[in-house]
């Protein structure tokens, strides 16, 4: 069974971009409409990343814990999922004769 990680990847990118936009807005002009838009966007993307990661059967406890880190947790979880999935799909080395 193949696990589709595309929605998780999109949500992780939205989570990071919205956090950067909120922090940039806070450090510069602090425009209220930007805060009003980016806050819920970041929150929804963060919740989606955490829940989607926790629902994956292939996610280890460490991967699930990493997903909880705000901003970069989704990207780190994807990296861990990809690394272990690639290792699992690699055929075993042939034994010596």
């Amino acid at each position: 069974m193949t696990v589709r990680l595309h929605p998780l990847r999109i949500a992780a990118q939205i989570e990071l971009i919205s956090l950067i936009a909120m922090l940039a807005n806070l450090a510069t002009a602090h425009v209220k409409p930007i805060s009003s838009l980016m806050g819920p966007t970041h929150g929804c993307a963060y919740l989606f990343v955490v829940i989607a990661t926790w629902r994956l059967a292939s996610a280890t406890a460490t991967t699930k814990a990493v997903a909880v880190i705000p901003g970069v947790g989704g990207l780190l979880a994807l990296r861990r999922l990809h690394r272990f999935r690639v290792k699992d799909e690699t055929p075993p080395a042939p034994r010596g004769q």
Side-chain angles (χ1 to χ4, degrees):
M1 183 171 92
T2 306
V3 177
R4 304 237 349 142
L5 298 178
H6 190 66
L8 181 59
R9 184 173 292 113
I10 292 171
Q13 291 172 351
I14 291 172
E15 178 189 9
L16 179 62
I17 291 168
S18 62
L19 179 64
I20 291 170
M22 283 192 313
L23 293 175
N25 182 45
L26 185 62
T28 57
H30 195 60
V31 178
K32 189 116 175 116
I34 293 176
S35 300
S36 297
L37 178 65
M38 288 295 117
T41 303
H42 174 72
C44 288
Y46 172 75
L47 287 175
F48 185 90
V49 165
V50 171
I51 292 169
T53 303
W54 280 65
R55 292 189 65 194
L56 290 173
S58 60
T60 63
T62 306
T63 303
K64 292 175 182 179
V66 166
V68 177
I69 300 171
V72 296
L75 295 175
L76 294 174
L78 279 168
R79 182 178 178 191
R80 289 186 55 83
L81 287 167
H82 179 68
R83 182 175 7 169
F84 291 119
R85 186 179 62 181
V86 169
K87 284 184 181 178
D88 291 343
E89 292 176 356
T90 305
R95 293 187 155 206
Q97 297 172 350

